[in-house]
Amino acid sequence: MEKIVILTGAGISAESGLGTFRDAGGLWAQHRIEDVATPEGFARDPALVQAFYNARRAKAATARPNAAHEALARLQAAWPGEVVIVTQNVDELHEKGGAQGVLHMHGILSGALCATCGHRWPAPAEMAAGEPCPACHAPTARPDIVWFGEMPYDMDEIFEHLVNADLFAAIGTSGQVYPAAGFVQEATAAGSRTVELNLEPSATVSQFDETRFGPATQTVPEWVAELLAG
Ligand code: OAD
C-alpha cells in the first residue's frame, strides 16, 4: 500500500483567516523574527513575546478548519495505505478538521513549556512574563513553540516517514525554512514522487515532480478526490 507523507505550512490555514508569515502584510512584515520568535528575544522582552503568542492563540482558538484541512482528514480515513501529516503550523486546525496523529514539528499554541526544566502543560489563554512553571516553579513558562535556532520536534520520526514515502506533498509552505524545506529532497532521494500545492511557486518549486497552483481550499480537495478515485 502506498504511503503518503504531507507537509503543510501557513498557506493551508490562510483561508481560515490566519495570516501567513511571508506573504505581503504577513506576520513577519508586522513583527521582527528576532523579537518574537527566538530564545534571545524571549530573554530580552518576555512580555512582548507572550503578548504576540496570546494574540495568535486567541485567533487560532476561534478559527475553523477549511475545505483543505477537511480533505486531508478524508484522505487519511479513506486511503488504503498510511497518510502522515507533518505540519509547521501551530494552530491545530488539522485536528479540528478530523486529522489524526499530526506531527507538530514547530510546536502548538495550546501548549506551554518551561524554559528551565522542560516540563510541558496546556497553556492558559493568556500567558504573562514571569509565569511560573507548575512543576519546578521557575518563572520561565513560555509558549511551546519552536523558535529560530531551536531544534524542531519529532525529527527522527519525520525522517523515518520520509524515507518510506511513496508520495510526498508540500502544501501552503514557502520552502524558506529548514529543515522542512529540505523534506522534498529527502523524499526524492528515497524514491518518492513529489508534488507541491501552493498559491504560487515556492523557493523549492524546481525540486518537485508535479506542481498545482491555486488556493488550498480548491487545489487540495481536487487532489484528494483524484487520489481517492485512483
Ligand atoms: P510562509 O508564510 O513562509 O509561506 C506561506 C505559503 O503559503 C506561501 O508560499 C504562499 O504563497 C502560500 N499561500 C498563501 N495563501 C495560500 C492559500 N490560500 N492556499 C495555498 N497556499 C497559500 O509560511 P510557512 O512556509 O508555513 O516558523 O513558514 C514556515 C515557518 O516560518 C513557520 O512555521 C514559522 C515561520 O517563521 C516558526 O515560527 C518557527
Side-chain angles (χ1 to χ4, degrees):
M1 278 308 140
E2 285 220 319
K3 172 168 174 141
I4 304 176
V5 178
I6 299 168
L7 170 71
T8 66
I12 197 167
S13 295
E15 291 162 86
S16 290
L18 300 179
T20 63
F21 296 96
R22 294 175 184 79
D23 293 305
L27 279 170
W28 294 156
Q30 302 163 45
H31 306 270
R32 281 162 31 106
I33 288 180
E34 301 81 350
D35 290 341
V36 298
T38 62
E40 295 76 18
F42 183 63
R44 235 180 357 252
D45 193 345
L48 175 81
V49 175
Q50 296 287 19
F52 174 74
Y53 289 100
N54 285 342
R56 294 191 58 208
R57 190 179 298 112
K59 197 126 195 257
T62 58
R64 298 180 54 80
N66 64 46
H69 299 104
E70 286 162 0
L72 294 187
R74 261 197 322 278
L75 179 65
Q76 248 188 347
W79 187 247
E82 192 184 3
V83 177
V84 178
I85 300 174
V86 179
T87 189
Q88 300 166 87
N89 299 342
V90 293
D91 56 34
E92 293 174 280
L93 287 181
H94 284 299
E95 284 88 343
K96 284 193 193 170
Q100 309 215 330
V102 179
L103 295 169
H104 284 275
M105 62 181 289
H106 288 170
I108 44 174
L109 283 166
S110 66
L113 166 71
C114 176
T116 303
C117 73
H119 179 65
R120 290 196 163 82
W121 68 102
E126 297 264 315
M127 290 176 75
E131 180 119 358
C133 165
C136 77
H137 308 295
T140 51
R142 54 168 276 187
D144 191 7
I145 302 285
V146 176
W147 287 327
F148 286 87
E150 298 182 322
M151 179 64 84
Y153 294 146
D154 303 324
M155 290 311 296
D156 289 349
E157 192 178 345
I158 293 168
F159 279 113
E160 186 68 30
H161 286 306
L162 287 170
V163 299
N164 291 309
D166 298 296
L167 175 61
F168 170 75
I171 303 175
T173 180
S174 62
Q176 301 205 41
V177 176
Y178 285 81
F183 290 176
V184 59
Q185 265 183 331
E186 293 290 331
T188 302
S192 170
R193 284 178 293 123
T194 57
V195 55
E196 167 166 295
L197 295 91
N198 210 26
L199 193 57
E200 47 195 39
S202 74
T204 52
V205 67
S206 64
Q207 298 172 19
F208 287 85
D209 298 323
E210 184 191 345
T211 51
R212 294 171 175 234
F213 300 117
T217 56
Q218 284 174 29
T219 58
V220 178
E222 276 167 22
W223 176 68
V224 165
E226 284 174 34
L227 284 173
L228 291 178

